[in-house]
Amino acid sequence: MVGGLARKLAKKAVAAAVAAGAALVAVVAFGATIFYALCLVVPALAAAALTMLLFALVALAVVMIFLRRDAAGEAVEDEEPMGLGERAYVLFRQRPILGTAAALAGGFIFLRNPALATMVAAAFTEKSHRRPRR
C-alpha cells in the first residue's frame, strides 16, 4: 500500500519536473524569438536590452499578481488628489496586464521620441498645487 502511494507520488513529481522543464525551454525559445525579431529592427545590443526589459516587466507583473494584498482589507484615506504617478501605480496594482501594456507603450514612445518622454517624466514628478476637495 505504501509502495503504491510512493509510486504515484514519484510519477506526479516526474510529471511536474517534465512540465517545468518544458516551460523553461518554451520561455527561453520565446525570448530568443523576440530577440531575433527585434534584431531585424534595432541593433543587437538594443534588442538584447528590450528583450530583457520585456521579461523583467512580465516577471514584475507576475510578482504583483501573486503578492497583491487584499484590496478590501486596506482602508484608502486620500487627503489630496492623486497625481499622475499615483494613478499609474494604482492602475498597475489593480490591472497589471493593462499597466504592463501601458509601460511597454511608454517604452516604445521613449525610443521614438525622447523629448516627449522627458515631458511625460516631468508630468509624473510634478507636484499638484491644487487644494484638496472636502
Side-chain angles (χ1 to χ4, degrees), residues 62-108:
V62 169
V63 167
M64 292 297 287
I65 289 170
F66 285 108
L67 295 181
R68 180 177 28 180
R69 287 189 234 159
D70 185 20
E74 296 178 15
V76 178
E77 187 87 23
D78 284 338
E79 300 218 0
E80 54 184 68
M82 291 191 338
L84 193 56
E86 289 178 86
R87 286 186 206 160
Y89 176 74
V90 169
L91 170 72
F92 190 75
R93 191 146 186 230
Q94 291 177 352
R95 295 187 176 100
I97 294 174
L98 183 62
T100 303
L104 288 174
F108 179 74

Side-chain angles (χ1 to χ4, degrees), residues 108-121:
F108 179 74
I109 290 170
F110 175 71
L111 286 175
R112 300 301 264 168
N113 190 352
L116 182 60
T118 304
M119 290 189 306
V120 169

Side-chain angles (χ1 to χ4, degrees), residues 12-79:
K12 287 184 180 185
V14 169
V18 168
L24 176 67
V25 170
V27 168
V28 169
F30 183 63
T33 303
I34 290 172
F35 171 74
Y36 286 115
L38 286 172
C39 278
L40 297 173
V41 180
V42 296
L45 188 59
L50 289 173
T51 304
M52 184 272 314
L53 178 66
L54 173 69
F55 276 85
L57 288 173
V58 168
L60 182 64
V62 169
V63 167
M64 292 297 287
I65 289 170
F66 285 108
L67 295 181
R68 180 177 28 180
R69 287 189 234 159
D70 185 20
E74 296 178 15
V76 178
E77 187 87 23
D78 284 338
E79 300 218 0

